[in-house]
Amino acid sequence: MTYTYHYSSPLGGITLSSNGTELTGLWFDGQKYFGSTLLKKCEEKSLPIFEQSMLWLDIYFSGQAPDFTPPLRMQTTPFRKAVWEILLTIPFGKTMTYGEIAQRIVNQKGLSKMSPQAVGGAVGHNAISLIIPCHRVVGKNGNLTGYAGGIEKKVQLLILEKTDMSSFFVPK
């Protein structure tokens, strides 16, 4: 069974999903790929995993870095999971480029090269936004691109984290 719960954030509604013990999804309502891991039959229910996730969100939206990660279940391909695990290592208030992530995959897997565009596809399909911080990934020249929740939210999240925005380009 898949369970859902709703959270009201300063940036809009968020839908959370769980298998009952682990968080399986977290999306801004209406974002691209919304509900990509949801089964057709879901039950809205208050669960300890949602309480833990909402505590994480409360701390995050207060401008602080949460010191824990709720239990996560990444329901995805092995490649996307490898990318998402790298995203989990990006510190609060910092960013990483698609190319840097690609290089880490190259080093981990012993490959000769990896396309930053392939990484971008994996980042864009992140089903557990915010906690797996895909908003911290930027283009090689500081382009703020590719956030499924929208560029405006990406900018707001980076500002919330007090990220140095001086070298970033925000597309119009």
Side-chain angles (χ1 to χ4, degrees):
M1 174 62 85
T2 298
Y3 302 96
T4 59
Y5 204 77
H6 293 277
Y7 176 85
S8 293
S9 86
L11 300 182
I14 290 176
T15 297
L16 301 110
S17 69
S18 172
N19 60 9
T21 56
E22 300 156 307
L23 193 67
T24 57
L26 189 157
W27 305 270
F28 281 105
D29 293 345
Q31 81 174 48
K32 192 174 184 182
Y33 310 119
F34 176 86
S36 60
T37 59
L38 288 177
L39 300 175
K40 290 185 183 191
K41 186 173 180 182
C42 299
E43 179 183 333
E44 186 154 343
K45 185 176 183 180
S46 179
L47 297 169
I49 184 62
F50 292 141
E51 291 173 20
Q52 192 176 13
S53 299
M54 289 188 300
L55 175 59
W56 189 99
L57 290 165
D58 287 344
I59 294 167
Y60 179 82
F61 282 114
S62 78
Q64 303 297 312
D67 63 357
F68 68 96
T69 301
L72 306 176
R73 166 74 66 190
M74 298 180 210
Q75 299 173 261
T76 191
T77 66
F79 174 70
R80 287 181 181 172
K81 184 176 182 183
V83 171
W84 297 358
E85 286 173 344
I86 292 170
L87 298 182
L88 284 167
T89 70
I90 306 172
F92 186 90
K94 302 295 181 191
T95 60
M96 185 178 283
T97 67
Y98 295 97
E100 289 170 326
I101 294 169
Q103 189 57 52
R104 282 202 187 179
I105 297 286
V106 164
N107 294 344
Q108 285 176 1
K109 307 285 186 197
L111 304 171
S112 60
K113 63 182 178 174
M114 164 68 53
S115 162
Q117 289 81 8
V119 168
V123 170
H125 285 83
N126 173 18
I128 309 175
S129 295
L130 298 177
I131 294 175
I132 299 178
C134 51
H135 62 280
R136 296 181 189 150
V137 182
V138 299
K140 71 177 178 178
N141 295 322
N143 266 345
L144 296 183
T145 62
Y147 187 61
I151 295 298
E152 308 78 29
K153 279 191 178 73
K154 182 172 191 161
V155 169
Q156 291 174 307
L157 293 168
L158 293 172
I159 289 170
L160 174 81
E161 294 184 17
K162 298 175 183 61
T163 305
D164 178 3
M165 303 286 287
S166 63
S167 63
F168 294 142
F169 170 74
V170 180
K172 300 290 179 193

